[in-house]
Each structure stands twice: as structure tokens, then as C-alpha cells.
Amino acid sequence: MNVTMIGTGYVGLVTGACLAEVGNDVLCFDVDNAKIATLEDGRVPIHEPGLPEMIHRNVAAGRLRFTTDADAAVAHGTLQFIAVGTPPDEDGSADMKYVLTAARGIGQRMTEYKVIVDKSTVPVGTADRVRETIAKELETRGLKLPFAVVSNPEFLKEGAAVEDFMKPDRIVIGADDEHAVALLRAVYAPFQRSHDRLLVMDLRSAELTKYAANAMLATRISFMNELANLADTLDADIEHVRQGIGADPRIGYQFLYPGAGYGGSCFPKDVKALQFTAQQHGAPLQVLHAVETVNEAQKSRLIVKITGRLGDKLAGRKFALWGLAFKPNTDDMREAPSRTVVQGLIERGAEVVAYDPVAMDEAKRVLSDVRGLSYALSPLDAVAGCDGLVVVTEWKEFRSPDFAALKRRLRTPLVFDGRNLYDPALVRAAGLEYFGIGRR
Ligand SMILES: NC(=O)c1ccc[n+]([C@@H]2O[C@H](COP(=O)([O-])OP(=O)(O)OC[C@H]3O[C@@H](n4cnc5c(N)ncnc54)[C@H](O)[C@@H]3O)[C@@H](O)[C@H]2O)c1
């Protein structure tokens, strides 16, 4: 099938590559000339395991192309996926300008039947707005052309995006048009050969499902963070509590890890946007208000631990920071808790030496104006002469460090483990002081 991807970011690029991988002819369009030039040059602008190989394979096979030409993009695909950003507006609502610009672009150019597929995370009612926008453009052109709008929210996780897309646990389709559903069923058939994973529902429910999923996951994180802070106060160990409740199949182990707060491009903005929608419709979501408040406080929890041990004035102190990305296996720094930690340390006068296996280039770009932040070539280089190691992202390579080597290199032997990676007894046995999140 001919498929156009409008927006070639984390979601658009992965979706485009995976759809090409199963045989579709995919054209990825973006307004960012530099991004398209990078891709045309054979380079991949984001870090995502397995993605470069898949892109190269499909470009070589002629099934995956990139363009900044809007006319070519609209002409190409019967399916026009919209995968542009929906960042938070000042009031917390999702900013729809990119989605509606994409819709306008389709309406201004289409000359035959199209199915417009909203893949971006969008507030309930967006499909109607996309439909109206396209209809208005067609009317301006004096044309009557059939088209359908479908909601197909994306559930991939950065860091495992290719695998998630190739083996989805569900594919949500919101639609009121049988023919459009049939086309999407066909395009997704190769991804669900063992059993049907397609959940077809009305448009509004599909749009709400995406927000509900992210809100639920964020709720679990904030719940565990708040409980971990209580465990600190009660001298209980949250790790035992986590296992004790995770064993209950009704609860399960996933997303029960306390830490330095959630970040990234989705949870913070989606929790805000859902609250905005709820508020707007006179049905405020009180649980989500708490989820967000807890998360904001949690991003400073490591600073609270550090200043609790060393005092509020940190001038002359130096800290090693392990992990900059908002989670492992990505270089995404959007709303990363590391940013709050870096800022908290630097505004108290400390210096920070950071190490991250893949996000340092991105950190240098987004934190270029931060004075007092430098970068190390290896985790052990980062800790040399420091007054503490602060672990912010749970990269695999941080999971089992040589604690004796850390002790030798640190000026002050403190470990602030923002992801509860280490056994406190083991760290202490090496002569280091250990501070976790809710650990005894
Ligand atoms: N990143 C994730 O893990 C993830 C997961 C699920 C859903 N989502 C949702 O998917 C959407 C996209 O997220 P992302 O992380 O891929 O964003 P992104 O910022 O990485 O990519 C968006 C791309 O759209 C391009 N763009 C903007 N306006 C355009 C236009 N009019 N025409 C063509 N291209 C345009 C931008 O230049 C950018 O390259 C968001 O709504 C997000 O909430 C993201």
C-alpha cells in the first residue's frame, strides 16, 4: 500500500520504517529540512535500537523515502498518517497547530480518496476538527472528494519502539467508516499474525484511550514515589514493598519502580492535557492533579537527599551524574528529571560532571547555556574527585559498577541512587554511604 507519514519524528520515523519493512511503499514527509537532509544522507537523527538497520534496509529496497515536498507527500499515500508533535500549550492543553496545519495541507492538495490517520496523541474531538479543516479546504477549492478520518493512537515506547511497533500488544482504531477500517486492518495484518490485536471503536473512545493509558502509567509511578518517600520516613524498604505488592497478579510488577520522577515527551504533557480536557468539561480529574504534583516534587527528591547530607550550600562541591536521558535506550532529553537535578546542583554552587552512553550530544545541545556542567568519557572518569555519585537513568551499564573503584575515585564516598539500582548492603560494604529512594 502507498503510505505517507506526515511528521518524521520518533513516532513517524519508526512507523514509516516498520510499515516499509512489511512491504508498503512509504514516503516520510517533514517540514524540518535538516532532519530530512540527515535521513537522505543515510544518517538517523534519533537513537532507537534496531532503527538504523531497518531504515537502511528499506531505503535500499526502494520502499522508504524522505521528502520536504508537501505536494509529493499528499499525492503519494492513500493512507495519510499524521504523526506531528502535540506539545503542551501555555495553559497545559495540547497544542493542535501542527496537526491542523497537516490537515490543511492535505485538504489543499488532495485530488482523490484519502484516509487521514491521526497517530499523534490528540484530545478527544480532534478527529472532528481534522475532518472540518479538510472539508473547509476542499470547499474553498470547489471540490467534493470523499475522505475518512481515523484515530490510531500509538503506544510504542521510546527505547523499544521498533520492537513495540513490530509486536504490538494492541492496535486501537477509532473510526466510523467501514472502508477505512478495512484499509487499516489490511495495513496492520502483518503485525498480528498470531491473533487479532485490532480494537475497533468509536473515534472519541480511541482518542481517550491513549490519554487514559499514559495517565494510568504515570499514576502508578507517582503512587510508588509517594509511597517510597513514606517508606523513608517510616524506615521501611520500598523494594520489599514493591515485590510484596507486585506479586499480586491484579497489580503486577510493571511500572512500580520509584525513582527521580517521570519525564519524557509524553507523560508530562499528556497528564496535563487530559486534566485540561477534564477541567474544560466540568469533570476535573483529581487523581491526576495529585499525580502531577507528586511528580514535580519527586524530580527534586535527589536534591533533597543531597542537601540533607551535605547542607544547602554546595559551592566547591562536585558531583558525578550518571544518566541524562529521561530513560534508558534513548537520547531523548525532553522533560528529563536529570535537568532538574543538574539545575538544582548548579544553582547551589556545585559543579556537575555528567556521563550518558548516548544522550550527551543531545544534552550538549539542549543544555548549552548551563555553566558548571561538563561531560566525561566514561562513568568512572565522571566520578574522579567528586563529592558524590548521583544516578539518574537506569542504563544497563550502570547496574553493576566496581564499588571499590568508585570508592577510590570519589573525594567524598556518597552514592545517591535515584533509580534504586544497587543493593544498599553491597554499596556500604565497599565503604560508601548509600542513599536510595525509599530504601533502608
Ligand atoms: N515519542 C513517543 O514515544 C510517542 C509515543 C506515542 C505517541 N506519541 C505522540 O506522537 C506524536 C509525535 O511525537 P514524536 O515524539 O514523534 O514528536 P517529534 O517532535 O519527534 O516529531 C514530530 C515531527 O513532526 C514534524 N512536523 C511538525 N509539523 C509538521 C507538518 N505540518 N508537516 C510535517 N511535519 C511536521 C516536526 O518537524 C517533527 O520532526 C505526539 O503527539 C506524541 O504525543 C509519541
Side-chain angles (χ1 to χ4, degrees):
M1 209 176 297
N2 281 3
V3 174
T4 293
M5 206 54 57
I6 304 177
T8 308
Y10 280 87
V11 167
L13 185 56
V14 171
T15 305
C18 291
L19 291 178
E21 178 79 356
V22 297
N24 295 292
D25 185 344
V26 180
L27 183 59
C28 288
F29 164 64
D30 206 289
V31 289
D32 183 338
N33 293 332
K35 190 174 279 188
I36 294 299
T38 301
L39 285 159
E40 283 187 319
D41 208 27
R43 291 171 292 131
V44 178
I46 54 172
H47 176 86
E48 198 54 61
L51 185 60
E53 300 84 328
M54 187 180 269
I55 290 176
H56 295 147
R57 199 163 49 238
N58 286 285
V59 167
R63 289 189 297 262
L64 180 62
R65 288 171 297 126
F66 306 99
T67 188
T68 53
D69 179 345
D71 293 336
V74 176
H76 179 73
T78 305
L79 294 182
Q80 299 271 318
F81 281 84
I82 299 183
V84 300
T86 46
D89 219 335
E90 273 162 23
D91 56 8
S93 64
D95 186 346
M96 285 294 98
K97 70 169 173 273
Y98 304 108
V99 170
L100 296 178
T101 303
R104 249 191 312 280
I106 298 169
Q108 284 162 354
R109 296 174 175 85
M110 63 187 273
T111 53
E112 57 188 358
Y113 177 73
K114 299 282 176 193
V115 177
I116 293 86
V117 188
D118 283 343
K119 204 161 225 347
S120 300
T121 302
V122 290
V124 173
T126 298
D128 295 337
R129 292 180 72 189
V130 166
R131 201 194 316 265
E132 283 158 20
T133 304
I134 294 173
K136 204 168 139 212
E137 292 301 332
L138 288 176
E139 196 185 313
T140 307
R141 293 168 62 206
L143 289 177
K144 262 198 163 38
L145 292 173
F147 70 95
V149 179
V150 173
S151 165
N152 171 219
E154 182 50 57
F155 297 98
L156 62 75
K157 301 182 287 294
E158 280 178 27
V162 170
E163 203 185 324
D164 285 348
F165 197 95
M166 295 306 287
K167 293 182 188 149
D169 31 44
R170 81 288 211 194
I171 300 160
V172 169
I173 305 290
D176 50 15
D177 180 304
E178 295 274 319
H179 183 58
V181 173
L183 281 177
L184 282 159
R185 205 176 272 290
V187 96
Y188 279 118
F191 303 95
Q192 42 173 351
R193 285 176 56 81
S194 66
H195 62 276
D196 191 4
R197 295 183 173 90
L198 214 71
L199 299 172
V200 180
M201 55 184 81
D202 64 278
L203 283 152
R204 290 180 161 248
S205 302
E207 290 169 336
L208 186 55
T209 298
K210 174 63 193 175
Y211 282 106
N214 278 356
M216 174 62 123
L217 294 170
T219 301
R220 280 173 77 102
I221 294 174
S222 277
F223 176 80
M224 283 309 282
N225 281 336
E226 208 168 30
L227 220 61
N229 300 345
L230 180 64
D232 269 340
T233 318
L234 299 178
D235 199 21
D237 192 326
I238 196 67
E239 185 51 21
H240 293 308
V241 178
R242 182 185 72 75
Q243 296 192 27
I245 62 173
D248 183 335
R250 292 170 305 177
I251 297 174
Y253 292 104
Q254 295 212 18
F255 266 79
L256 281 192
Y257 291 93
Y262 61 74
S265 69
C266 292
F267 288 5
K269 83 170 170 59
D270 292 350
V271 166
K272 270 197 177 59
L274 183 55
Q275 283 185 85
F276 184 88
T277 302
Q279 190 79 37
Q280 207 181 20
H281 289 80
L285 293 167
Q286 294 173 41
V287 171
L288 282 197
H289 180 68
V291 166
E292 200 182 9
T293 310
V294 168
N295 194 60
E296 274 314 300
Q298 197 69 17
K299 289 203 272 182
S300 300
R301 188 72 185 166
L302 281 166
I303 299 292
V304 171
K305 299 247 170 195
I306 294 165
T307 54
R309 173 63 179 77
L310 293 169
D312 203 50
K313 295 202 173 55
L314 298 175
R317 301 276 189 190
K318 189 162 92 165
F319 295 90
L321 194 91
W322 281 5
L324 288 157
F326 86 93
K327 67 174 180 178
N329 298 324
T330 180
D331 58 351
D332 200 337
M333 288 287 299
R334 291 180 280 188
E335 306 258 349
S338 65
R339 299 171 80 147
T340 310
V341 177
V342 167
Q343 191 192 344
L345 291 172
I346 283 176
E347 70 192 15
R348 285 171 178 78
E351 259 180 78
V352 178
V353 185
Y355 172 80
D356 187 290
V358 305
M360 289 199 287
D361 286 343
E362 181 62 4
K364 285 175 193 166
R365 193 179 70 80
V366 298
L367 303 176
S368 60
D369 56 344
V370 177
R371 302 279 154 262
L373 169 64
S374 59
Y375 301 89
L377 290 173
S378 77
L380 274 183
D381 283 350
V383 296
C386 283
D387 296 291
L389 163 64
V390 188
V391 182
V392 188
T393 316
E394 64 277 32
W395 283 96
K396 279 210 182 81
E397 68 178 84
F398 300 155
R399 289 198 187 167
S400 190
D402 179 344
F403 291 115
L406 284 182
K407 171 77 167 56
R408 282 196 300 277
R409 282 181 172 72
L410 283 163
R411 179 165 65 190
T412 316
L414 307 178
V415 173
F416 299 92
D417 179 0
R419 296 291 169 185
N420 289 352
L421 293 186
Y422 309 130
D423 176 351
L426 214 64
V427 182
R428 286 177 188 134
L432 297 148
E433 255 181 88
Y434 178 82
F435 302 84
I437 307 287
R439 305 301 310 273
R440 285 188 84 175

